[in-house]
């Protein structure tokens, strides 16, 4: 038993991984959870490419670094707290691609309407992250490399109709993860109309 | 305790609700789960408008019907199995807006980059759906009315910088929900490269 609310509250980005391997069985459990997500017209347009090959992971790591150094870091510098920036920095500079498994998540535009891909893919990604958390794995939702979509697609041979939408590292956290920091729900909730006090 | 994997496997769209009310406490638990989702730069750009007012719900119901009859139904007709089409039909024609609570989910483009809204909002929506399932509530991820974004925004007074991204009904299911129908994970998973057998 893994309590849902416990997994929900503990799930957070892991950007440094130990060398401990992750068995196919665990990966499959995590991906199976993803496949239970809802999708527009129940088209289930998710595509998962499980990358273990060291060379491909290194190439995805290079892409990540390039995307980070080529603008994303500069954009985030003024927006992230120093601690989070340092963590993302270390992640983009090799931490994320250092995970023993990278899952490239694609959305198949041949079986779902293009406009429906985000609402059909990211719920599945969240199931994936929660399942990983429940099973003791570190993970993170990263979209940095999708800015270099063509190159990312090429690395894992995605056909033209499959859009790369996220890269999820899976592995054992290098160190225990603290709880996520979140604003209280009341600050995000409105009654009847925007601005209506909850 | 609500087992995560149990909630993941049971979560599915509910499009008919009983008249049984849903307490604010339950709504808040469900929304709180949503706020633990990851978001780009941890910006947490989610906005939840909880609608109970019968008139507003009816107006959202009208929008849904218009979007459905104005093209969506025709698009889906050839694509959905008859049973699912009938269910979506009943939902769009009043079932969804008949829920005692509608949550209009927005993405705040003033605090997050526009391009990052889908990857920052739909994971939160999935947390919301799973929490609802665990608490015995029916729910559904609907995006039909976002095609009439301006009118939907107006109904709940969303400011210009908040994009309406989904409407989630919450209530007690009118009848027990069967399990979702999904394709096996192996048919969606590729090893190392697209096409690589899992």
């Amino acid at each position: 038993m893994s309590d849902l609310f416990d997994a929900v509250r503990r799930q957070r980005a892991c950007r440094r991984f130990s060398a401990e391997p992750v068995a196919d069985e665990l990966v499959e459990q995590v991906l199976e959870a993803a496949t239970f997500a809802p999708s527009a017209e129940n088209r289930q347009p998710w595509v998962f490419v499980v990358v273990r090959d060291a060379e491909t992971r290194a190439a995805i790591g290079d892409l990540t670094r390039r995307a980070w150094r080529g603008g994303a870091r500069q954009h985030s510098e003024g927006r992230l707290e120093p601690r989070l920036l340092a963590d993302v920095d270390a992640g983009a500079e090799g931490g994320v691609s250092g995970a023993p498994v990278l899952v490239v998540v694609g959305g198949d535009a041949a079986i779902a309407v293009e406009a429906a891909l985000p609402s059909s893919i990211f719920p599945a990604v969240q199931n994936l992250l929660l399942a990983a958390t429940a099973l003791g794995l570190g993970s993170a939702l990263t979209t940095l490399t999708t800015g270099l979509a063509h190159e990312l697609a090429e690395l894992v041979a995605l056909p033209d109709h499959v859009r790369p939408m996220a890269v999820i590292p899976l592995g054992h956290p290098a160190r225990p993860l603290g709880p996520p920091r979140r604003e209280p729900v009341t600050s995000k909730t409105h009654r009847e109309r925007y601005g209506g006090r909850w």
Side-chain angles (χ1 to χ4, degrees), chain A residues 150-161:
Chain A
H150 186 71
E151 292 173 71
L152 176 57
E154 211 165 65
L155 285 175
V156 293
L158 294 184
D160 279 350
H161 57 88

Side-chain angles (χ1 to χ4, degrees), chain A residues 129-147:
Chain A
L129 300 175
L130 290 171
T133 304
L135 295 170
L137 294 174
S139 62
L141 165 50
T142 81
T143 56
L144 203 47
T145 48
T146 59

